[in-house]
Amino acid sequence: MDALSAESKGVVLTERQRIAWLRLIRSDNIGPATFRDLINHFGSAEAALAALPELSARGGATRAIRIASEAEAHRELEAARRFGARFVGIGEPDYPQALKQIDGAPPLLAVKGALAAAKRPAVGIVGSRNASIAGAKFAAMVARDCGRAGHTVVSGLARGIDTAAHRASLDTGTIAALAGGLDQPYPPENIGLLEEITSGNGLAVSEMPFGWEPRARDFPRRNRLIAGIGLGLVVIEAATRSGSLITARLAGEFGRLVFAVPGSPLDPRCHGTNGLLKDGASIVTAPADVVEALAPLAQFDLFPSSMVEEPAPDGKAMSVPPGDSDRNRIIDALGPTPVEIDDVIRHTGLSASAVYLILLELDISGRLHRHQGGLVSLSD
């Protein structure tokens, strides 16, 4: 199937479901992976919300879990409407199809702008904030040619390379992934650029609440959106320790193509990109290198849509909750070192349903830490 002409498929959430989803993801200790497991276990966000207090208590929480209220959800939905934005769920047609396949994909995205930008095959372009003139010029060349080839360009609205990539793809379509709420763009000098993006052929996306000011730890979360939305990622000028390398690592983990532009060994801005090339990234010396590598991927529907947004329970649900002895067995088996859930099942000899439910209890009570790749450990 030609991805450029394929109709997006999915199931649209009802208003009641959207409110329940928003309440669940905005409640304490509920991240994307926990959200997914709760929906899979209980069958709906409403049922999961009703179960949270008991799950948290059984997991050993020392205080009652804060559950987002209907009033809070309505206020955020209204804030989105006033801002000209809306929330898109992971099973809906307008959700970026590649993003939904990654580990820990956001259940809900706040979006503003041209939704068509999220339906085309995309490529991420990231790099140094203090980019050189040559680096910014090359980023614009890559973005412009990728746009002409039918790709949406994804970046993070940062200074330097991000800005150059967004500006060069305003006409063909670009997506700005934000670390804060849609109404809290960073940096301030790119507010005008963001308005150009959302008022034209582009789109702004964020998983954070409206009013949320971005903090340093929010940017790696933003980076995973860039890595997940695109079929590939181009890195242009990145220092040894930079957010661009985090994005590149995530892109590799998600199975995306990773490209790097070589630079002078004497320029610290190129140490990270040169390192990516040593580690096996595809070298880019002309925009055609990216366009030609992405062309075969864009011809097929690599990320088929799921037609289910709130599946029936998957068999992990239990009529009788696990006992304290089972719970203690899992707690004793876990530690600060991340382990696979399958190993927990084998080590403890408990049923998969019991292990998954106890891990949910520990997670919601704040005692479990989830890692990339589905690994878990006990929180410090």
Side-chain angles (χ1 to χ4, degrees), residues 13 16 53 59 82 107 116 121-122 126 136 138 189 196 209 321 356 371:
L13 294 173
R16 180 171 176 172
R82 289 198 304 268
V126 296
F138 191 73
E189 59 261 37
E196 288 186 73
Y356 275 100
H371 302 267

Side-chain angles (χ1 to χ4, degrees), residues 347-369:
H347 180 82
T348 61
L350 298 173
S351 67
S353 58
V355 170
Y356 275 100
L357 184 53
I358 291 170
L359 292 178
L360 263 179
E361 294 171 355
L362 295 174
D363 192 2
I364 292 165
S365 66
R367 301 175 64 189
L368 190 77
H369 183 63

Side-chain angles (χ1 to χ4, degrees), residues 123-262:
V123 58
I125 300 178
V126 296
S128 176
R129 286 177 170 81
N130 64 328
S132 68
I133 294 174
K137 183 177 180 179
F138 191 73
M141 291 169 59
V142 174
R144 194 173 295 112
D145 282 17
C146 284
R148 289 169 178 165
H151 297 284
T152 295
V153 171
V154 190
S155 198
L157 201 71
R159 304 178 184 94
I161 297 299
D162 290 24
T163 296
H166 283 308
R167 289 204 175 280
S169 53
L170 284 172
D171 291 339
T172 53
T174 184
I175 295 177
L178 275 58
L182 285 186
D183 58 344
Q184 298 292 328
Y186 181 87
E189 59 261 37
N190 273 350
I191 291 176
L193 173 58
L194 183 62
E195 290 175 350
E196 288 186 73
I197 291 171
T198 58
S199 63
N201 296 321
L203 186 70
V205 302
S206 172
E207 63 182 306
M208 304 306 288
F210 276 80
W212 186 275
E213 295 186 10
R215 303 160 299 177
R217 65 182 183 181
D218 295 323
F219 287 92
R221 183 196 298 257
R222 182 276 313 269
N223 293 347
R224 100 184 187 291
L225 297 183
I226 299 170
I229 292 173
L231 300 176
L233 179 78
V234 184
V235 185
I236 303 170
E237 293 187 346
T240 302
R241 293 182 177 273
S242 67
S244 297
L245 295 190
I246 295 175
T247 312
R249 174 179 58 80
L250 291 169
E253 291 175 356
F254 297 156
R256 309 307 196 241
L257 297 178
V258 178
F259 305 89
V261 178

Side-chain angles (χ1 to χ4, degrees), residues 12-315:
V12 177
L13 294 173
T14 66
E15 190 68 6
R16 180 171 176 172
Q17 287 174 319
R18 202 176 307 277
I19 290 169
W21 278 40
L22 189 55
R23 289 183 62 200
L24 186 58
I25 196 60
R26 297 294 189 245
S27 296
D28 281 353
N29 300 333
I30 308 297
T34 309
F35 182 102
R36 177 202 61 212
D37 287 350
L38 284 167
I39 295 293
N40 286 342
H41 187 87
F42 292 101
S44 73
E46 286 189 282
L49 286 164
L52 286 183
E54 183 180 354
L55 290 172
S56 177
R58 293 207 308 256
T62 56
R63 60 182 178 83
I65 185 172
R66 187 198 68 82
I67 301 174
S69 67
E70 284 194 37
E72 290 174 304
H74 279 292
R75 283 196 294 270
E76 189 167 359
L77 287 172
E78 181 56 32
R81 292 189 189 101
R82 289 198 304 268
F83 193 70
R86 67 185 184 92
F87 289 94
V88 176
I90 194 170
E92 296 191 287
D94 292 327
Y95 194 94
Q97 295 304 302
L99 180 63
K100 68 182 293 185
Q101 304 297 328
I102 73 169
D103 186 30
L108 285 172
L109 277 179
V111 300
K112 180 181 180 181
L115 290 167
K119 297 182 180 181
R120 293 190 295 270
V123 58
I125 300 178
V126 296
S128 176
R129 286 177 170 81
N130 64 328
S132 68
I133 294 174
K137 183 177 180 179
F138 191 73
M141 291 169 59
V142 174
R144 194 173 295 112
D145 282 17
C146 284
R148 289 169 178 165
H151 297 284
T152 295
V153 171
V154 190
S155 198
L157 201 71
R159 304 178 184 94
I161 297 299
D162 290 24
T163 296
H166 283 308
R167 289 204 175 280
S169 53
L170 284 172
D171 291 339
T172 53
T174 184
I175 295 177
L178 275 58
L182 285 186
D183 58 344
Q184 298 292 328
Y186 181 87
E189 59 261 37
N190 273 350
I191 291 176
L193 173 58
L194 183 62
E195 290 175 350
E196 288 186 73
I197 291 171
T198 58
S199 63
N201 296 321
L203 186 70
V205 302
S206 172
E207 63 182 306
M208 304 306 288
F210 276 80
W212 186 275
E213 295 186 10
R215 303 160 299 177
R217 65 182 183 181
D218 295 323
F219 287 92
R221 183 196 298 257
R222 182 276 313 269
N223 293 347
R224 100 184 187 291
L225 297 183
I226 299 170
I229 292 173
L231 300 176
L233 179 78
V234 184
V235 185
I236 303 170
E237 293 187 346
T240 302
R241 293 182 177 273
S242 67
S244 297
L245 295 190
I246 295 175
T247 312
R249 174 179 58 80
L250 291 169
E253 291 175 356
F254 297 156
R256 309 307 196 241
L257 297 178
V258 178
F259 305 89
V261 178
S264 169
L266 301 179
D267 189 343
R269 289 173 295 198
C270 300
H271 290 176
T273 45
N274 290 341
L276 287 175
L277 292 169
K278 290 181 180 179
D279 291 337
S282 297
I283 188 169
V284 176
T285 58
D289 296 334
V290 180
V291 174
E292 291 171 4
L294 291 176
L297 302 181
Q299 299 305 311
F300 302 98
D301 186 7
L302 299 177
F303 306 102
S305 300
S306 169
M307 293 301 292
V308 180
E309 81 276 10
E310 287 198 348
D314 63 356

